[in-house]
Amino acid sequence: MFLVTGLPTELKVSFWIWFVGGILGMLGGMLGMLASLVLFAAAPGAATLVLLLMLLAAAVGAAQIVLALAMKDGKHWARLGLTALTGATLILAVANAMMGVGQGGNWATFLISLAATVLLWLPNSQAFFTAARSGNTSSE
């Protein structure tokens, strides 16, 4: 599951960025869900929104893990999914900047996701996915 032998260095780095980011996203979402329970006593409406957002964060983290594992196996659809997640982080960063909320964490998340995404599309990575599509990869 965690073996990255046979992957180009670019994909090894990208895999670990996506995988660890997914774990952190899931944990943050779950901790946020627990924290939102306290908010129910004071502001049930706001607590419901926070709870839903934290659930979404945990689900995105889980999806990120699944996509990273599939990407490691040479699945092109997983690479596209991770690229789409990077687009979503850009939209969230812009939305937060326009609303004047947050502390810049969304921009850091976007930049890290962008770096991991660029690694997915470099020539060595392209060659790996092309070989995987034609069944010519070795996982030794």
Side-chain angles (χ1 to χ4, degrees):
M1 179 170 169
F2 300 115
L3 292 176
V4 291
T5 54
L7 290 178
T9 302
E10 297 88 342
L11 288 181
K12 289 178 184 177
V13 172
S14 184
F15 168 76
W16 286 113
I17 290 171
W18 286 114
F19 188 81
V20 170
I23 297 271
L24 293 174
M26 270 184 44
L27 289 174
M30 286 191 252
L31 289 173
M33 282 188 277
L34 290 174
S36 71
L37 296 178
V38 174
L39 188 56
F40 271 102
T48 301
L49 179 62
V50 170
L51 182 63
L52 290 173
L53 290 172
M54 292 300 106
L55 239 157
L56 179 63
V60 168
Q64 194 171 315
I65 292 167
V66 169
L67 289 169
L69 290 170
M71 176 273 295
K72 182 178 67 79
D73 292 335
K75 306 293 186 207
H76 180 68
W77 56 265
R79 179 168 63 157
L80 292 173
L82 291 168
T83 302
L85 280 178
T86 299
T89 61
L90 173 60
I91 291 168
L92 289 173
V94 169
N96 277 347
M98 289 174 64
M99 290 188 291
V101 296
Q103 297 147 350
N106 284 1
W107 286 112
T109 301
F110 166 67
L111 292 174
I112 292 167
S113 298
L114 181 62
T117 300
V118 167
L119 292 171
L120 292 174
W121 295 94
L122 291 176
N124 283 342
S125 301
Q126 291 278 46
F128 174 81
F129 284 101
T130 300
R133 203 177 281 169
S134 63
N136 295 332
T137 60
S138 65
S139 297
E140 274 90 57

